[in-house]
Amino acid sequence: MGRTKIYVVLLMILELFLVGTTKGEETCEHDRQMEELCRSHTYKSVKPLLDYFRQVRNELDQSEMKEKQISEINCDLMNKYHEIVRIHEKQISEINSDLMNKYHEIVRIHEKLMKEAFQLDEYKNKILRKENDLQLCQSKVDKLESEVNSQKITINKLTLHANFLASYDKCKEELSDESDNLEICEDQLKKLNSSIIEKDKKISRHSVTIQNLTEHQNTVELKLESSQTKLIKKDKDIEICHAEITKLNRTSHLNIPSSCLPFGEHSGVHEIKVSGIGFFDVLCDSQVAGPGWIVIQQRIGGKENFTRDWATYRKGFGSLDSDFFLGLEKMYRLTSLQQYELYIHLVVLNGSIFYARYDDFKISDEDHGYALSLGKFKGNIRDAMRSTENKKFTTFDRDNDSADNNCAVVYDSGWWYNNCYNCNLNALYGMYLNWWTEIRNLLKEAKMLIRPKAEINN
Ligand SMILES: *[C@@H]1O[C@H](CO)[C@@H](O)[C@H](O)[C@H]1NC(C)=O
Ligand SMILES: *[C@@H]1O[C@H](CO)[C@@H](O)[C@H](O)[C@H]1NC(C)=O
Ligand SMILES: *[C@@H]1O[C@H](CO)[C@@H](O)[C@H](O)[C@H]1NC(C)=O
Ligand SMILES: *[C@@H]1O[C@H](CO)[C@@H](O)[C@H](O)[C@H]1NC(C)=O
Ligand SMILES: *[C@@H]1O[C@H](CO)[C@@H](O)[C@H](O)[C@H]1NC(C)=O
Ligand SMILES: *[C@@H]1O[C@H](CO)[C@@H](O)[C@H](O)[C@H]1NC(C)=O
């Protein structure tokens, strides 16, 4: 500021100076000359002043610029300051509003807490009241309990009393029962007594009988002794008798026949005797083909099993009143004594009867396989046995047939198989029992009968 004042004063001085100098132009040439002269004089004196002014002026200009810059900076600073102040104010107001919010919130929380504290007080009061109630209740319960206890005691007393009464009743009942039992016992005793008395009576009676019996025994013994002596005598008689009988038996055995012929028309089982075997029963038949036939094989019901081994066929099997096979050994022994004829009797399901007859039937001994011989054929049917002539007997355990395998196994029976047969009267009863193909699965009955040939003229 001081500079500006100085500057202004200097300007005024300069102006005064300049006015003094410029007035000369209007004057005259004289003046100009004067002036020139002056100028040459004044210049020399004023020049440093002018320089000084000029310098001052420059400095003034510079300071003015600086002032200007300073004022600009000031202005800038002022702006910045204002901005900062604004920002601060804004922040402060924000913080203030925030604080206000917080404050309000705190106020709210405080109110809430107050309310809860109030509620808490209320609860406390309630609890206190409840506790009071509880105490009251407890005292009541105690009272009741004591009452119940006293009642229990009285009840116990009562039940004791009742039990006593009950046991008393029971006792009474038992006593009466006992008396009943006693009565029953007495009755039983009486009964026992009476039965014992009866038994005693019986015993005495029995002892009498025993006495009588011993007496009787004595007499019997006496009789026995006499009997024994008689018996010894009789034994001697019997011995004599026996000797006579055996004598008779011997003579009678000589008369036992070796075939059914002597029995004639008397069909049924008879004993015959054959040398090499002895006595055995045979079925004699006089119905099929006249009198005197021995049945050596019979199928009339299928009740016998003909699937038998060699030993069984050798010995014979079955029952004479049903199906049977007399046995190969007997057949061999019989037919080896004399000429026999064979009669085959076949009954078909439709009732037709067929026969086949061979006039020289025999079989060889066992060593030769009981081979079959037939003789001449006669009959009302084809000769089906011829193919088995001279064939050995075959069973499932002894294969003497001409087939590769065992025919007895294939056809479940022993027979004089070739390869294998045209007839098999030992086959399974039913469809296998056959005579040629004419009679297959049709045979109701089959029988083989033999009879000595020579003794009858047929
Ligand atoms: C048994 O019977 C006889 C004769 O009747 C009598 O004397 C006896 O006293 C009886 N005994 C009893 C135990 O009843
Ligand atoms: C015992 O024998 C006698 C005669 O000897 C007879 O009178 C009596 O009846 C017989 N008694 C009996 C139980 O048999
Ligand atoms: C007759 O003799 C036979 C054979 O010798 C014998 O089995 C039978 O028991 C005898 N009979 C009597 C009655 O002696
Ligand atoms: C017949 O006898 C044979 C040999 O003992 C046996 O294998 C078979 O099962 C018997 N058949 C019947 C039907 O009993
Ligand atoms: C019974 O059946 C046999 C064998 O089939 C036959 O040959 C015969 O003529 C029949 N007889 C009758 C009376 O039908
Ligand atoms: C029959 O056949 C058996 C074997 O199966 C054989 O041991 C036996 O010698 C034969 N018998 C005859 C007489 O050929």
Side-chain angles (χ1 to χ4, degrees), residues 66-248:
K66 272 181 187 157
E67 268 181 18
K68 203 180 168 191
Q69 277 177 350
I70 285 165
S71 82
E72 269 175 10
I73 287 166
N74 271 353
C75 190
D76 221 31
L77 278 171
M78 277 310 282
N79 281 345
K80 289 245 164 81
Y81 168 77
H82 284 305
E83 202 173 323
I84 285 165
V85 164
R86 220 173 37 247
I87 288 165
H88 270 238
E89 275 174 357
K90 201 177 158 199
Q91 282 178 349
I92 283 164
S93 81
E94 272 172 10
I95 287 166
N96 270 354
S97 75
D98 220 34
L99 278 172
M100 278 310 283
N101 283 345
K102 292 258 156 77
Y103 169 77
H104 285 308
E105 206 172 320
I106 285 164
V107 165
R108 258 199 326 277
I109 288 166
H110 178 73
E111 277 171 1
K112 209 171 145 194
L113 278 173
M114 287 302 284
K115 229 161 107 185
E116 278 172 358
F118 177 72
Q119 276 180 349
L120 206 70
D121 278 352
E122 265 188 353
Y123 284 145
K124 264 186 195 163
N125 286 338
K126 272 187 194 169
I127 285 165
L128 280 174
R129 275 203 304 278
K130 292 266 147 120
E131 267 178 2
N132 280 341
D133 288 354
L134 204 72
Q135 269 173 356
L136 271 171
C137 196
Q138 188 63 44
S139 63
K140 271 186 196 168
V141 166
D142 287 349
K143 222 169 106 186
L144 281 172
E145 262 182 3
S146 67
E147 272 174 29
V148 165
N149 278 339
S150 68
Q151 276 175 358
K152 262 189 196 163
I153 289 162
T154 44
I155 283 167
N156 277 344
K157 276 179 192 162
L158 284 171
T159 46
L160 277 174
H161 189 66
N163 282 346
F164 173 74
L165 284 176
S167 57
Y168 175 74
D169 283 350
K170 211 173 155 199
C171 223
K172 248 162 77 178
E173 267 175 31
E174 275 170 5
L175 275 174
S176 71
D177 280 358
E178 285 297 305
S179 65
D180 286 352
N181 278 349
L182 266 176
E183 274 171 33
I184 291 164
C185 265
E186 273 169 16
D187 283 351
Q188 281 176 348
L189 264 177
K190 272 178 196 162
K191 272 182 200 160
L192 277 172
N193 197 16
S194 63
S195 72
I196 283 165
I197 289 159
E198 225 168 81
K199 290 238 165 88
D200 278 349
K201 281 180 192 162
K202 269 189 193 167
I203 284 165
S204 62
R205 272 206 304 278
H206 281 311
S207 61
V208 172
T209 358
I210 284 165
Q211 252 184 330
N212 275 12
L213 281 175
T214 45
E215 280 165 21
H216 188 67
Q217 201 184 345
N218 285 341
T219 56
V220 166
E221 268 171 13
L222 283 176
K223 278 182 191 166
L224 208 76
E225 262 177 59
S226 71
S227 293
Q228 263 173 352
T229 52
K230 276 182 196 167
L231 209 77
I232 290 164
K233 232 171 88 191
K234 285 258 159 73
D235 270 352
K236 276 176 192 164
D237 290 350
I238 285 167
E239 257 178 65
I240 294 160
C241 194
H242 222 72
E244 274 174 45
I245 285 169
T246 45
K247 229 164 87 188
L248 280 170

Side-chain angles (χ1 to χ4, degrees), residues 95 325 338 409 412 417 453:
I95 287 166
F325 188 81
Q338 56 188 302
V409 171
D412 293 312
Y417 289 107
K453 170 79 177 165

Side-chain angles (χ1 to χ4, degrees), residues 349-360:
L349 283 172
N350 65 14
S352 284
I353 294 172
F354 296 96
Y355 78 94
R357 212 165 166 157
Y358 299 90
D359 74 346
D360 193 5

Side-chain angles (χ1 to χ4, degrees), residues 360 371-376 385-392 416 418:
D360 193 5
L372 177 73
S373 298
L374 291 169
K376 284 203 290 285
M385 272 189 98
R386 191 62 58 186
S387 70
T388 65
E389 191 171 26
N390 298 321
K391 296 300 160 202
K392 293 162 195 160
W416 298 274
N418 185 356

Side-chain angles (χ1 to χ4, degrees), residues 6 37 56 98-99 142 169 198 295 299-300 320 322 376 412 429:
I6 293 166
L37 195 72
V56 166
D98 220 34
L99 278 172
D142 287 349
D169 283 350
E198 225 168 81
V295 184
R299 308 296 294 275
I300 54 172
L320 295 178
S322 174
K376 284 203 290 285
D412 293 312
Y429 192 85

